[in-house]
Amino acid sequence: AKFMAQGMVPYKDFFTMEMPVGIGLYSILYRILGVEASSYFSLIPFVVINLVNLLLMWMLMTRLSIKKGMAFIGLLFYFLLCYSSDGLHVNMEILASTLLLGAFLSVLKRKGVYTMLATFLFCLAVGCKAQVIVMFPVLLMAAIKSKSNKFDFKQAALLVAGSALILFVGYIIVAYSCGNPEWLENIKWEIEKAPDTEATEMKSIVS
């Protein structure tokens, strides 16, 4: 994120295993605070994001008619899960979770504008963490089933077509900016070789 705040391009000027959207959003913080700011300052937005996630989870469970007692247990489980893992640290998972929760809340509105918003938020979540793509069938099922237990294929088609278009355009933009049309495949390959290649890449940046 600090490298992007300095104008560097991911996958071209520096090594990273992360997707570009999350890094780009996080780099905005360093553009505001300055790249010399302590990383401890970066923890503040992530604390806020976790609090936002708790609120969104409560709204989602309320929307799904989950009883308040069970909803409270769900929020407590989320907090303890974050506390016992690296969920309270600086990572892309919690930001992707925020976007996913927003997407689910939007798609449950069952209106065209909100479906488009859900599509955009889902694609941003994928841009933060590629593994989020596995959540698409769940989001699609939420879009298909209506309140009257009928199937809403129009909303599902809008979700599928919109997601495909946005992800494709996003892929092209990143490929053009870094000059490598196979950047996503390289990320997967670099994950396996990260212990050996990361130090080399960092040395080349410093030099």
Side-chain angles (χ1 to χ4, degrees), residues 120-142:
F120 181 70
L121 292 175
F122 173 76
C123 292
L124 284 180
V126 174
C128 292
K129 204 70 180 177
Q131 293 87 339
V132 169
I133 195 72
V134 301
M135 293 295 294
F136 187 75
V138 182
L139 188 63
L140 186 61
M141 286 188 290

Side-chain angles (χ1 to χ4, degrees), residues 168-178:
F168 176 75
V169 171
Y171 185 92
I172 296 299
I173 291 174
V174 176
Y176 178 80
S177 64
C178 69

Side-chain angles (χ1 to χ4, degrees), residues 32 38 51 64 66 110 113 117 129 131 149 161 189 197 207:
I32 297 173
S38 171
L51 293 176
L64 296 175
I66 297 176
R110 308 196 182 286
V113 175
L117 176 61
K129 204 70 180 177
Q131 293 87 339
N149 291 324
W189 177 79
T197 59
S207 60

Side-chain angles (χ1 to χ4, degrees), residues 149-171:
N149 291 324
K150 296 181 179 179
F151 297 108
D152 189 352
F153 292 106
K154 182 179 179 180
Q155 183 174 232
L158 179 60
L159 186 67
V160 172
S163 298
L165 177 62
I166 294 175
L167 291 176
F168 176 75
V169 171
Y171 185 92

Side-chain angles (χ1 to χ4, degrees), residues 49 52-53 56-57 60 92-108 117-140 142 159 163:
I49 291 173
V52 171
N53 283 351
L56 292 176
M57 287 181 64
L60 180 60
M92 298 302 164
E93 283 81 359
I94 58 172
L95 183 56
S97 298
T98 306
L99 296 167
L100 268 179
L101 288 168
F104 274 101
L105 283 169
S106 298
V107 81
L108 289 175
L117 176 61
T119 302
F120 181 70
L121 292 175
F122 173 76
C123 292
L124 284 180
V126 174
C128 292
K129 204 70 180 177
Q131 293 87 339
V132 169
I133 195 72
V134 301
M135 293 295 294
F136 187 75
V138 182
L139 188 63
L140 186 61
L159 186 67
S163 298

